[in-house]
Amino acid sequence: MALLEVKNLTLRFGGLIAVNDVSFSVEDKSITGLIGQNGAGKTTIFNLLTHVYQPNEGTVILDGEVMKGKKPHQAVARGLTRTFQNIRLFRNMPVIDNVKVGFVYQGQYSVPSGVFRLPPYWREEKEMQEKAMELLQVFDLDRYASHYAGNLPYGQQRQLEICRALATNPRVLLLDEPAAGMNPSETESLMERIDKVRERFAIAILLIEHDMKLVMGICDKVVVLNYGCVIAEGCPEKIRSDEEVINAYLGCEV
């Protein structure tokens, strides 16, 4: 069953067609890869899904709801959360506080409770602290909870950003090049954790990635873009042997 549906999505920047009549779906509890050469339109599609851009044509449907005219924060509130190519952590805040930022839409205490630090405030703060530690444990980052985020090694900063995205309680998690800059060992660990996240939180994951070992190793389905158009869609076995994909992007069978 499709949790996220993209139908005939088109975006133009003047005379440039960045995304051209793109359609694909992301099934519930699946991992879908979005691949293509630089400039193919992958990140632009993420910006359309999260309403940073509004499409000229087409529709995005999340769990049966047409996501038209929404703002980025409304997309997050409805369950579409993303990470970025360039790490965007609060570097001078502790690791655990970076995660707690993701709970912004889950706060229930009133303004007076927060201002005067009344019991409802402290109860909720305790719950958020416990939930944040649980998320950090998924990535073995709980021991760094009090460290400044900017002091973590690069690979752990990448994982912390995913951890913060999970704090928003997403239904679809969008990962923009999660393995960028990682060494082979870190990439292997990331593959295991992405699969673990899918299973543990029962969410769908859509990821942009250039590391074909990661894509072919964990994705249930792969969508291939070329100059803003979908040229292939299917299981990894189908994609790695698709002649058009090989010519346009892979260069050889992987």
Side-chain angles (χ1 to χ4, degrees), residues 112-123:
S113 290
V115 172
F116 298 107
R117 300 296 193 265
L118 300 178
Y121 166 83
W122 290 113
R123 282 198 299 270

Side-chain angles (χ1 to χ4, degrees), residues 64-222:
E65 179 184 0
V66 176
M67 303 288 285
K68 187 175 182 180
K70 306 293 185 185
K71 302 296 183 182
H73 69 277
Q74 293 173 319
V76 174
R78 283 163 174 75
L80 268 174
T81 304
R82 70 172 295 181
T83 63
F84 296 87
Q85 287 182 15
N86 300 317
I87 296 173
R88 300 189 183 183
L89 296 172
F90 298 103
R91 297 177 58 84
N92 295 319
M93 284 173 52
V95 165
I96 194 165
D97 288 341
N98 269 269
V99 178
K100 288 166 70 175
V101 166
F103 295 132
V104 63
Y105 294 106
Q106 301 175 43
Q108 300 295 322
Y109 58 77
S110 64
V111 173
S113 290
V115 172
F116 298 107
R117 300 296 193 265
L118 300 178
Y121 166 83
W122 290 113
R123 282 198 299 270
E124 202 156 312
E125 279 294 306
K126 181 181 178 182
E127 290 176 3
M128 286 193 292
Q129 186 84 3
E130 292 172 350
K131 289 180 181 178
M133 287 299 291
E134 288 175 5
L135 287 172
L136 289 172
Q137 287 170 5
V138 174
F139 294 89
D140 293 331
L141 293 173
D142 49 307
R143 53 184 166 166
Y144 303 111
S146 61
H147 294 214
Y148 286 117
N151 292 337
L152 291 179
Y154 178 84
Q156 290 180 333
Q157 289 188 34
R158 280 273 178 199
Q159 295 187 44
L160 177 58
E161 192 170 40
I162 298 173
C163 192
R164 182 178 61 186
L166 287 170
T168 66
N169 196 28
R171 287 185 283 176
V172 182
L173 177 61
L174 311 178
L175 302 179
D176 196 345
E177 297 194 30
M182 289 187 175
N183 61 43
S185 176
E186 289 172 329
T187 300
E188 189 74 28
S189 175
L190 180 66
M191 288 175 62
E192 295 174 1
R193 295 188 191 282
I194 289 175
D195 198 39
K196 182 178 179 181
V197 162
R198 183 258 300 265
E199 294 297 330
R200 177 163 179 170
F201 298 97
I203 61 174
I205 296 173
L206 175 64
L207 63 88
I208 294 171
E209 188 50 66
H210 288 288
D211 188 315
M212 287 300 99
K213 181 179 178 182
L214 186 151
V215 171
M216 299 300 177
I218 66 172
C219 290
D220 303 300
K221 181 172 70 175
V222 180

